[in-house]
Amino acid sequence: MSKTREMTAPLLEISHLSVMLKKRRDRLKAVDDLSFKVYPGEILGLVGESGAGKSMTGSAILGLIDPPLYISSGEIIFDGNRIDQNASSIRGSKISMIFQDPLVSLNPLRKIGDQLVEAIRTHINMSKAEAFDRAKTLLAEVGIDPRRINAYPHTFSGGMRQRVVIALALAPEPSLIIADEPTTALDVSVQAQILDLLKRLCRERGTSIILITHDMGVIAETTDRVAVLYAGRLAEIGETASVLNSPRHPYTKGLVAATPRIDADSYKKKLFQIPGAMPDLEQIPQGCAFHPRCDFANAQCKIQQPPLFEDRSACWLLKDGSEIS
Ligand code: SF4
């Protein structure tokens, strides 16, 4: 971790968080003993396949965990305050959310200006006229002509709608934005524009972002640090360049190897696949949850769950700082 970041107090600190799903008599772990920090002004990526617990972690931070799900243990500290049992006071004001589908966040029957004015005035004490001016500034900031403030959502393209959603997320001037697959529904060139926009806003405003994605390319493009999740647990965490260039955990190695590359010879090679699939909550294996898919699994892996070694990787073979080749 960079020295400057290490010396700063984290904006968000998650310690030993577990989220359970109550299913008849069973208690299933959707998030299992998860710990990580987010520092002011950084972009942290949460990556993993579907079912890894990424979105569930985002929901827990926002206090959007409802029965039959519940937080069974752990703490979420935001800006010095514990919020795991009551996030409603900061949800939408200090912490905003950007969803994959912009249509989920936008009311198709209302002009975007009205929706922005409402979002601003819900959290900031401003007259309607002041909020209207601020809405125009926000539109300009996300690259939309402020003269379109009276347009309806359906008159915008998918990429422009996502820009409106980003403006809505910025309206309350949050310190943290959770962006859940914000570019998955967009085509590649628009995706790059939205990622650039998020990076620029993060740098200019000092806002932190948790970027949830299954796409290692998006992680490489956008994030400062990355946390790799598997079956609700942290598999590996570190500076993005270090994790992607020298992945240590076998699951991270698999995700990196499975990322398509565009180079002269890539079309001749078969794309790597991690064998098997992410287990269902009801069938998370004992020991290291990744062991049925891991080429390096040994007897210990099948019995004992590995802790995070050297604040980096949860794998028994890495406990002495050794490498897996
Ligand atoms: Fe593979 Fe064992 Fe490491 Fe899990 S702990 S990733 S099964 S080697």
Side-chain angles (χ1 to χ4, degrees):
M1 186 183 307
S2 80
K3 280 265 178 273
T4 342
R5 203 177 295 141
E6 223 171 30
M7 287 158 63
T8 320
L11 175 68
L12 178 78
E13 183 164 6
I14 293 184
S15 307
H16 305 291
L17 178 73
S18 292
V19 178
M20 306 284 280
L21 171 68
K22 193 175 168 193
K23 202 170 180 189
R24 289 186 286 276
R25 290 187 186 166
D26 293 331
R27 301 285 182 276
L28 309 171
K29 270 191 179 166
V31 174
D32 186 2
D33 198 28
L34 190 62
S35 300
F36 63 82
K37 296 172 184 168
V38 180
Y39 290 88
E42 79 162 342
I43 305 182
L44 174 80
L46 294 187
V47 72
E49 297 157 288
S50 296
K54 313 180 295 290
S55 296
M56 190 74 75
T57 304
S59 298
I61 297 167
L62 279 161
L64 296 175
I65 296 290
D66 293 316
L69 290 157
Y70 64 98
I71 294 179
S72 60
S73 59
E75 284 187 351
I76 303 176
I77 312 272
F78 177 76
D79 208 9
N81 299 305
R82 196 167 164 186
I83 60 163
D84 42 277
Q85 299 305 327
N86 179 22
S88 54
S89 57
I90 46 98
R91 187 193 311 153
S93 56
K94 301 266 190 259
I95 307 179
S96 297
M97 183 92 190
I98 299 170
F99 294 98
Q100 176 179 338
D101 183 354
L103 292 176
V104 169
S105 313
L106 295 171
N107 182 339
L109 303 175
R110 297 185 66 204
K111 296 170 183 170
I112 58 162
D114 292 344
Q115 298 187 50
L116 279 165
V117 166
E118 184 181 357
I120 293 165
R121 295 188 76 209
T122 303
H123 301 289
I124 301 173
N125 187 13
M126 260 186 194
S127 70
K128 220 169 177 178
E130 286 169 332
F132 194 76
D133 283 345
R134 170 139 180 76
K136 287 206 263 188
T137 309
L138 281 171
L139 287 178
E141 218 175 316
V142 299
I144 293 179
D145 184 343
R147 287 174 297 182
R148 298 203 64 195
I149 194 156
N150 286 320
Y152 286 90
H154 73 270
T155 64
F156 291 86
S157 65
M160 292 306 254
R161 273 200 290 265
Q162 196 59 302
R163 285 174 190 266
V164 176
V165 169
I166 293 172
L168 269 177
L170 292 172
E173 300 186 349
S175 334
L176 175 66
I177 294 176
I178 299 175
D180 193 352
E181 303 274 7
T183 56
T184 305
L186 305 174
D187 62 44
V188 181
S189 60
V190 179
Q191 175 174 313
Q193 291 168 11
I194 296 295
L195 294 177
D196 277 351
L197 173 64
L198 286 175
K199 272 198 290 190
R200 177 170 63 75
L201 294 171
C202 177
R203 304 286 174 255
E204 287 175 2
R205 294 169 156 259
T207 312
S208 305
I209 297 177
I210 294 178
L211 181 66
I212 296 171
T213 180
H214 62 277
D215 187 334
M216 277 298 203
V218 169
I219 292 291
E221 186 79 13
T222 318
T223 62
D224 301 303
R225 286 190 306 132
V226 58
V228 182
L229 301 191
Y230 188 82
R233 291 184 65 88
L234 195 56
E236 180 155 8
I237 187 166
E239 298 286 330
T240 301
S242 167
V243 170
L244 298 195
N245 293 330
S246 316
R248 291 188 194 161
H249 193 283
Y251 180 55
T252 319
K253 283 178 184 285
L255 288 180
V256 171
T259 304
R261 285 178 181 76
I262 301 176
D263 55 45
D265 290 335
S266 60
Y267 70 96
K268 296 179 192 163
K269 297 172 197 156
K270 202 168 169 236
L271 194 61
F272 175 82
Q273 290 178 12
I274 304 172
M278 180 74 68
D280 291 339
L281 285 190
E282 280 128 323
Q283 289 168 341
I284 293 182
Q286 191 190 342
C288 171
F290 187 59
H291 84 254
R293 304 173 73 188
C294 181
D295 287 342
F296 306 96
N298 59 30
Q300 184 182 25
C301 305
K302 295 174 188 169
I303 301 165
Q304 268 184 299
Q305 201 168 283
L308 198 70
F309 293 108
E310 299 187 330
D311 291 333
R312 169 80 185 249
S313 327
C315 171
W316 288 117
L317 300 190
L318 301 167
K319 68 177 173 187
D320 303 320
S322 40
E323 299 278 320
I324 299 173
S325 50

